[in-house]
Amino acid sequence: MATQFLRSLAVACLGAAAGAITATAVQRRALDELRAALDQHLTQTRAMRREVNLTSQQRQHWALLSKAIDDPDLAEVLDVYEGPGLTPRKRRQYLFANALYTNMLFYYRIGNMTKEEFFGFARSTLQNAPFREYWHDTRHHRVSLPPSTEEAQLGALIDGLLQELEQAEDEDWWVVGIQPSESEDEH
């Protein structure tokens, strides 16, 4: 009788242990799923916060540039351009070119524009003489950017495109340059 009791007790203990192991495995799986969902939520929250911050920065940038474009005294504060004979008119054009470029960069950064679209927009924008002058005269600004940054890479893309456009022998500007592929787009 004692042997049978011990066997029953052992079977009951094994059953309880198996149940506890199964319950622990189920709880572990549920915790892993919750952790993965939380990680995904945090990633999405960070991305949304980045977009909100970029949007806020873009608005602030445009507000400052608008004031400088409208007021020659304020424009002098932003006068970091080294072009020869920079008139107040040219300075306003450069400020607007900067706003245009920053807007292009912003659209790319928040994912509203692929790298291919950025390239196409840059190619058409480079058809504008004041923008080309702005781009040449601000070359020294981009030299200080760390090469691994998105802005440095996009700036280099525009630099290369501008060089190709200037060397092109035909007037078919819309086909100049090697368009980046979507695989290079790492958003």
Side-chain angles (χ1 to χ4, degrees):
M1 189 96 157
T3 305
Q4 188 176 9
F5 174 74
L6 287 176
R7 279 189 191 144
S8 295
L9 183 62
V11 167
C13 286
L14 284 174
I21 290 171
T22 301
T24 301
V26 168
Q27 287 176 343
R28 178 64 182 197
R29 191 172 325 129
L31 283 173
D32 288 345
E33 288 172 5
L34 283 173
R35 188 172 290 123
L38 179 61
D39 287 345
Q40 181 180 9
H41 177 72
L42 288 174
T43 300
Q44 290 171 344
T45 301
R46 282 187 204 107
M48 287 173 24
R49 188 176 317 132
R50 180 177 186 264
E51 284 188 24
V52 166
N53 290 342
L54 282 169
T55 301
S56 176
Q57 176 59 39
Q58 177 72 6
R59 283 188 188 125
Q60 186 176 22
H61 182 258
W62 177 245
L64 291 170
L65 286 178
S66 292
K67 287 180 180 186
I69 288 169
D70 293 340
D71 185 337
D73 293 335
L74 295 179
E76 286 182 25
V77 175
L78 291 176
D79 190 1
V80 293
Y81 307 112
E82 295 180 359
L86 194 63
T87 64
R89 178 176 186 263
K90 179 67 71 181
R91 183 182 297 123
R92 283 192 310 276
Q93 288 175 339
Y94 278 19
L95 291 171
F96 191 78
N98 176 267
L100 184 62
Y101 169 66
T102 303
N103 190 58
M104 249 178 15
L105 188 64
F106 171 73
Y107 261 49
Y108 176 76
R109 283 181 171 164
I110 65 169
N112 284 354
M113 182 184 290
T114 66
K115 192 174 277 187
E116 288 175 327
E117 291 166 330
F118 181 91
F119 181 85
F121 192 72
R123 183 170 42 202
S124 64
T125 303
L126 288 170
Q127 299 311 301
N128 181 281
F131 187 87
R132 279 194 311 274
E133 290 174 32
Y134 159 79
W135 196 257
H136 280 296
D137 289 348
T138 58
R139 182 177 22 251
H140 64 284
H141 295 182
R142 294 182 297 282
V143 169
S144 64
L145 294 172
S148 62
T149 64
E150 199 170 53
E151 187 171 357
Q153 293 167 6
L154 293 172
L157 183 141
I158 294 174
D159 288 339
L161 178 57
L162 180 57
Q163 184 177 12
E164 288 182 49
L165 285 166
E166 289 174 342
Q167 293 172 354
E169 293 181 14
D170 58 24
E171 293 186 23
D172 295 338
W173 60 266
W174 54 90
V175 296
V176 173
I178 300 171
Q179 192 163 17
S181 66
E182 284 189 44
S183 63
E184 293 177 32
D185 211 357
E186 297 177 7
H187 277 243

